[in-house]
Amino acid sequence: MTKEILAHPWFGTWIAILVAIPLALLVHRIGGLVLKRITRPVPTVHAMVINCNAPARLVLPLVALLLIFQAAPDDLRFIGNVRHLNGLLLIAAVTWLTVKAISGFADGVLAQNPSDIADNLQARRVLTQTRVLARTAMTVVVVAGGAMMLMTFPGARQVGASLLASAGVIGIVAGLAAKPVFSNLIAGLQIALAQPIRIDDVLVVEGEWGRVEEITGTFVVIRIWDDRRLILPLTYFIEKPFQNWTRHSAQLLGSVFIYVDYGMPLAPLREEAERIVKAAPEWDGRFFNLRVTDATERTMQVRVLCTAATSGLAFDLRCSVREGLIDFMQREYPQFLPKTRVASEGNQEREHQQAVA
C-alpha cells in the first residue's frame, strides 16, 4: 500500500502542496504583522493593509499552488483541469483583494477627513470624491475580473471572436443597450471631479427640499425634510437644473414676508424685528434689515432679511421672526393688521368733503 502511494504520479505534487500551503499561511501571518507595524504612521496605507488581510490569506496559498501545478508534469491526469480551476480561483481572489484594497484606501482617506464637524465643506468634498471614485474603480475591477475568468474558457474566446467578426451591427445594439450604464458611469466621474453635489449638500430638486444622503454608482438618494427619499439617476444632476444651497458655504440669507395695513408705523416694527433677530440663537450676526418691498391697493409688503449658519437654522430663524412680528402686531397694533375696507356712498362723500376742506 505504501509502495503504491509512493509510486503514485501525484505523490510529489501532494507533498509539495502540504508544504506550500502552511508556508504560504506563515508568510501571510508574519508579513501581515510586519506591514501593519510599518504602515501605522500612514493611515491610508494602514487601512488598506488591514482591509486586505482576509483576501491575502487566500491569494498567497493560491499563488503557491499555481507555482506547484505549473511545475508539475503535463502528463499528470486532470492536471489541465486543476490548473484551470486554480487559475479561476486565483483571478477571483486577486479581484477580491483589489476591491478590498480600494475600499481600505477610501476608508483611510475618510478617516482623515471627518464630516461630523461644524465647518465640514472640505470634508464633504473629499467624502463625495472618495466614495464615487472608489465605487467606480471597484466596479471596473469586478467587471475586468469577471471578463478575465470568462476568457479562460475556450468557448468564451470563440464567442468573443464571433462577436468581433460581426461587430458592426452588434456594436450598435450593444452600445444602445449599454447607454444608460455608460451614461451613469460618466456622470459619476463628472460628479466626483466637478462636484455639483456632495454628500450632505442641501438641494431643492423637483420642488422638494432635502439633503444628499447617498451617491451610488447609478443613482442619488435625497433625504427630504419629512424623511421621504427621492431617488434620482446620476445623469439628472448633469442634464437638468437644480438648486444647491451649500455649494460653497452652508451660510444662507433667509427672508420673511408679512403684510400690514398702510397705517402701520414702520419704526416700531423695525425695532421689534431687530430685537427678535438679535435675540434669536439661530442668527449668526452677519446681516439683518427690514424694508417695504411692495405696495398693493390694500396692504404693504414688508420683508425681513436675516442670516444663519445653515439652512436648517435659517428656516427656524425665519419662523421665529414671522411668529414674533405677528404676535407683536396682534398685541400692540391690532388695528393695522391686513383688512378689507367696505365704505358706503355716504361715507365716501363725507370723506371726500373732509379732504377738500
Side-chain angles (χ1 to χ4, degrees):
M1 184 67 178
T2 304
K3 291 182 179 180
E4 293 179 357
I5 295 176
L6 293 176
H8 196 282
W10 277 88
F11 178 74
T13 305
W14 291 339
I15 296 298
I17 292 173
L18 292 176
V19 173
I21 291 180
L23 185 60
L25 294 176
L26 180 62
V27 170
H28 169 266
R29 178 66 176 174
I30 297 174
L33 293 175
V34 173
L35 288 175
K36 288 178 183 178
R37 181 178 295 273
I38 64 177
T39 59
R40 194 166 295 163
V42 187
T44 51
V45 180
H46 188 66
M48 287 179 61
V49 171
I50 293 176
N51 231 33
C52 292
N53 183 61
R57 189 183 296 117
L58 179 62
V59 169
L60 290 178
L62 287 174
V63 170
L65 291 176
L66 178 66
L67 297 176
I68 292 173
F69 294 142
Q70 291 298 324
D74 293 336
D75 56 353
L76 281 179
R77 190 178 183 186
F78 304 122
I79 188 63
N81 294 333
V82 171
R83 288 172 177 171
H84 187 204
L85 177 61
N86 185 82
L88 291 174
L89 293 176
L90 182 58
I91 293 173
V94 171
T95 302
W96 181 27
L97 176 67
T98 307
V99 169
K100 295 294 284 184
I102 296 171
S103 176
F105 181 81
D107 292 341
V109 172
L110 296 180
Q112 291 184 292
N113 296 272
S115 58
D116 55 347
I117 56 178
D119 187 10
N120 62 354
L121 181 62
Q122 176 63 24
R124 290 190 292 109
R125 181 181 294 113
V126 174
L127 174 63
T128 302
Q129 285 184 331
T130 303
R131 284 190 176 177
V132 174
L133 292 177
R135 286 171 178 170
T136 302
M138 286 189 285
T139 301
V140 172
V141 168
V142 171
V143 171
M148 291 177 64
M149 293 178 69
L150 287 175
M151 292 304 292
T152 62
F153 293 91
R157 289 198 295 269
Q158 293 174 4
V159 171
S162 300
L163 291 177
L164 289 175
S166 56
V169 176
I170 295 179
I172 295 174
V173 174
L176 292 174
K179 181 181 177 182
V181 177
F182 289 114
S183 297
N184 279 316
L185 180 62
I186 295 172
L189 292 175
Q190 288 180 287
I191 288 175
L193 297 176
Q195 294 201 329
I197 60 172
R198 294 175 296 262
I199 299 294
D200 206 38
D201 266 350
V202 177
L203 306 182
V204 177
V205 187
E206 298 290 320
E208 300 283 2
W209 181 97
R211 291 181 179 272
V212 178
E213 184 176 57
E214 185 180 2
I215 301 177
T216 71
T218 54
F219 58 85
V220 177
V221 180
I222 309 294
R223 180 180 179 181
I224 304 174
W225 64 274
D226 57 359
D227 282 342
R228 289 178 293 145
R229 266 60 174 184
L230 180 63
I231 312 297
L232 295 169
L234 288 175
T235 52
Y236 180 96
F237 297 94
I238 303 299
E239 300 172 353
K240 296 185 178 181
F242 59 92
Q243 295 183 39
N244 188 335
W245 288 11
T246 53
R247 180 69 178 90
H248 296 291
S249 172
Q251 295 176 335
L252 282 180
L253 178 67
S255 59
V256 176
F257 293 92
I258 62 171
Y259 296 86
V260 300
D261 189 79
Y262 278 100
M264 177 66 198
L266 294 176
L269 190 64
R270 184 173 284 111
E271 292 176 1
E272 179 64 14
E274 183 176 3
R275 185 195 67 79
I276 294 171
V277 170
K278 291 185 176 180
E282 297 88 0
W283 187 51
D284 62 4
R286 286 189 297 128
F287 179 75
F288 152 80
N289 76 1
L290 181 146
R291 292 286 186 272
V292 176
T293 54
D294 196 7
T296 69
E297 68 276 7
R298 291 179 182 150
T299 59
M300 296 186 295
Q301 182 190 70
V302 178
R303 184 192 67 187
V304 179
L305 295 180
C306 45
T307 56
T310 65
S311 59
L313 293 177
F315 179 82
D316 293 338
L317 178 59
R318 291 167 59 200
C319 292
S320 299
V321 172
R322 189 180 296 113
E323 293 172 2
L325 290 178
I326 292 174
D327 180 69
F328 172 74
M329 290 193 62
Q330 289 174 339
R331 187 177 65 252
E332 302 293 338
Y333 299 94
Q335 70 274 24
F336 296 133
L337 290 170
K339 56 178 178 263
T340 302
R341 293 183 175 87
V342 179
S344 64
E345 293 182 2
N347 289 338
Q348 290 179 349
E349 183 178 352
R350 191 181 302 110
E351 290 175 1
H352 177 69
Q353 292 175 352
Q354 291 175 352
V356 172

